[in-house]
Short mmCIF file of all heavy atoms in Angstrom, two decimals:
data_model
loop_
_atom_site.label_atom_id
_atom_site.label_comp_id
_atom_site.label_asym_id
_atom_site.label_seq_id
_atom_site.Cartn_x
_atom_site.Cartn_y
_atom_site.Cartn_z
N ALA A 307 18.85 -0.57 -15.26
CA ALA A 307 18.76 -0.80 -13.81
C ALA A 307 18.76 -2.29 -13.49
O ALA A 307 19.42 -2.74 -12.54
CB ALA A 307 17.51 -0.12 -13.25
N LEU A 308 18.04 -3.08 -14.29
CA LEU A 308 17.99 -4.52 -14.06
C LEU A 308 19.35 -5.16 -14.34
O LEU A 308 19.82 -6.01 -13.58
CB LEU A 308 16.91 -5.15 -14.93
CG LEU A 308 15.47 -4.75 -14.58
CD1 LEU A 308 14.51 -5.25 -15.66
CD2 LEU A 308 15.07 -5.32 -13.22
N TYR A 309 19.97 -4.75 -15.44
CA TYR A 309 21.28 -5.29 -15.80
C TYR A 309 22.30 -5.01 -14.70
O TYR A 309 23.06 -5.90 -14.29
CB TYR A 309 21.74 -4.68 -17.12
CG TYR A 309 23.20 -4.88 -17.42
CD1 TYR A 309 23.67 -6.12 -17.86
CD2 TYR A 309 24.11 -3.85 -17.25
CE1 TYR A 309 25.02 -6.31 -18.13
CE2 TYR A 309 25.47 -4.03 -17.51
CZ TYR A 309 25.91 -5.26 -17.94
OH TYR A 309 27.25 -5.45 -18.19
N GLU A 310 22.35 -3.76 -14.22
CA GLU A 310 23.34 -3.41 -13.21
C GLU A 310 23.10 -4.15 -11.91
O GLU A 310 24.05 -4.53 -11.22
CB GLU A 310 23.33 -1.89 -13.00
CG GLU A 310 23.89 -1.15 -14.21
CD GLU A 310 23.82 0.36 -14.10
OE1 GLU A 310 23.07 0.87 -13.22
OE2 GLU A 310 24.50 1.05 -14.90
N ALA A 311 21.83 -4.39 -11.58
CA ALA A 311 21.53 -5.15 -10.37
C ALA A 311 21.96 -6.61 -10.51
O ALA A 311 22.48 -7.22 -9.57
CB ALA A 311 20.04 -5.06 -10.06
N LEU A 312 21.74 -7.18 -11.70
CA LEU A 312 22.16 -8.55 -11.93
C LEU A 312 23.68 -8.68 -11.88
O LEU A 312 24.21 -9.64 -11.31
CB LEU A 312 21.64 -9.03 -13.28
CG LEU A 312 20.14 -9.33 -13.36
CD1 LEU A 312 19.69 -9.47 -14.81
CD2 LEU A 312 19.80 -10.59 -12.57
N ARG A 313 24.39 -7.71 -12.46
CA ARG A 313 25.84 -7.74 -12.41
C ARG A 313 26.35 -7.58 -10.98
O ARG A 313 27.29 -8.26 -10.57
CB ARG A 313 26.42 -6.63 -13.31
CG ARG A 313 26.25 -6.86 -14.79
CD ARG A 313 26.95 -8.13 -15.26
NE ARG A 313 28.39 -8.10 -15.00
CZ ARG A 313 29.30 -7.75 -15.89
NH1 ARG A 313 28.94 -7.40 -17.12
NH2 ARG A 313 30.59 -7.76 -15.58
N GLU A 314 25.72 -6.68 -10.24
CA GLU A 314 26.13 -6.47 -8.85
C GLU A 314 25.88 -7.72 -8.02
O GLU A 314 26.67 -8.05 -7.12
CB GLU A 314 25.38 -5.28 -8.26
CG GLU A 314 25.80 -4.94 -6.84
CD GLU A 314 25.09 -3.71 -6.29
OE1 GLU A 314 24.34 -3.06 -7.04
OE2 GLU A 314 25.29 -3.40 -5.11
N ARG A 315 24.80 -8.43 -8.32
CA ARG A 315 24.49 -9.66 -7.59
C ARG A 315 25.45 -10.78 -7.96
O ARG A 315 25.57 -11.79 -7.24
CB ARG A 315 23.04 -10.06 -7.89
CG ARG A 315 22.45 -11.05 -6.89
CD ARG A 315 20.96 -11.22 -7.09
NE ARG A 315 20.63 -11.97 -8.30
CZ ARG A 315 19.39 -12.28 -8.66
NH1 ARG A 315 18.36 -11.88 -7.92
NH2 ARG A 315 19.16 -12.98 -9.76
N GLY A 316 26.12 -10.63 -9.10
CA GLY A 316 27.10 -11.63 -9.49
C GLY A 316 26.55 -12.79 -10.28
O GLY A 316 27.22 -13.83 -10.42
N ASP A 317 25.36 -12.66 -10.85
CA ASP A 317 24.79 -13.75 -11.64
C ASP A 317 25.66 -14.04 -12.86
O ASP A 317 26.10 -13.12 -13.57
CB ASP A 317 23.38 -13.40 -12.10
CG ASP A 317 22.37 -13.53 -10.96
OD1 ASP A 317 22.79 -13.57 -9.80
OD2 ASP A 317 21.15 -13.59 -11.24
N ASP A 318 25.87 -15.31 -13.13
CA ASP A 318 26.76 -15.72 -14.20
C ASP A 318 25.97 -15.94 -15.48
O ASP A 318 25.78 -17.06 -15.95
CB ASP A 318 27.51 -17.01 -13.80
CG ASP A 318 28.54 -17.42 -14.83
OD1 ASP A 318 28.96 -16.54 -15.60
OD2 ASP A 318 28.89 -18.60 -14.86
N HIS A 319 25.47 -14.84 -16.05
CA HIS A 319 24.74 -14.90 -17.31
C HIS A 319 25.59 -14.28 -18.41
O HIS A 319 26.52 -13.51 -18.16
CB HIS A 319 23.41 -14.14 -17.21
CG HIS A 319 22.50 -14.62 -16.13
ND1 HIS A 319 22.25 -15.96 -15.89
CD2 HIS A 319 21.74 -13.94 -15.22
CE1 HIS A 319 21.40 -16.09 -14.89
NE2 HIS A 319 21.08 -14.87 -14.46
N GLU A 320 25.22 -14.57 -19.65
CA GLU A 320 25.79 -13.88 -20.81
C GLU A 320 24.86 -12.71 -21.15
O GLU A 320 23.67 -12.91 -21.35
CB GLU A 320 25.90 -14.83 -22.00
CG GLU A 320 26.41 -14.15 -23.26
CD GLU A 320 26.35 -15.04 -24.48
OE1 GLU A 320 25.94 -16.22 -24.35
OE2 GLU A 320 26.68 -14.56 -25.60
N TYR A 321 25.42 -11.51 -21.22
CA TYR A 321 24.62 -10.32 -21.50
C TYR A 321 25.04 -9.70 -22.82
O TYR A 321 26.25 -9.56 -23.10
CB TYR A 321 24.80 -9.27 -20.40
CG TYR A 321 24.42 -9.75 -19.01
CD1 TYR A 321 25.41 -10.18 -18.12
CD2 TYR A 321 23.09 -9.75 -18.59
CE1 TYR A 321 25.08 -10.61 -16.84
CE2 TYR A 321 22.76 -10.19 -17.32
CZ TYR A 321 23.75 -10.62 -16.45
OH TYR A 321 23.41 -11.04 -15.19
N VAL A 322 24.06 -9.32 -23.62
CA VAL A 322 24.32 -8.61 -24.87
C VAL A 322 23.34 -7.44 -24.95
O VAL A 322 22.14 -7.61 -24.76
CB VAL A 322 24.13 -9.53 -26.10
CG1 VAL A 322 24.36 -8.74 -27.39
CG2 VAL A 322 25.07 -10.73 -26.03
N TRP A 323 23.89 -6.27 -25.25
CA TRP A 323 23.06 -5.07 -25.41
C TRP A 323 22.96 -4.69 -26.89
O TRP A 323 23.95 -4.75 -27.62
CB TRP A 323 23.68 -3.89 -24.66
CG TRP A 323 23.30 -3.80 -23.22
CD1 TRP A 323 23.92 -4.40 -22.17
CD2 TRP A 323 22.22 -3.03 -22.66
NE1 TRP A 323 23.30 -4.06 -20.99
CE2 TRP A 323 22.25 -3.22 -21.27
CE3 TRP A 323 21.24 -2.21 -23.21
CZ2 TRP A 323 21.34 -2.61 -20.41
CZ3 TRP A 323 20.32 -1.60 -22.37
CH2 TRP A 323 20.38 -1.81 -20.98
N LEU A 324 21.78 -4.27 -27.31
CA LEU A 324 21.63 -3.63 -28.62
C LEU A 324 22.05 -2.17 -28.46
O LEU A 324 21.60 -1.49 -27.54
CB LEU A 324 20.19 -3.71 -29.11
CG LEU A 324 19.51 -5.09 -29.11
CD1 LEU A 324 18.17 -5.01 -29.83
CD2 LEU A 324 20.40 -6.16 -29.72
N SER A 325 22.90 -1.68 -29.35
CA SER A 325 23.40 -0.32 -29.21
C SER A 325 23.43 0.38 -30.56
O SER A 325 23.62 -0.27 -31.60
CB SER A 325 24.80 -0.30 -28.58
OG SER A 325 25.75 -0.81 -29.50
#
Side-chain angles (χ1 to χ4, degrees):
L308 293 170
Y309 165 77
E310 291 176 344
L312 286 166
R313 289 299 300 263
E314 183 177 355
R315 198 170 72 178
D317 284 17
D318 185 22
H319 302 316
E320 177 187 358
Y321 301 99
V322 178
W323 274 88
L324 308 189
S325 71

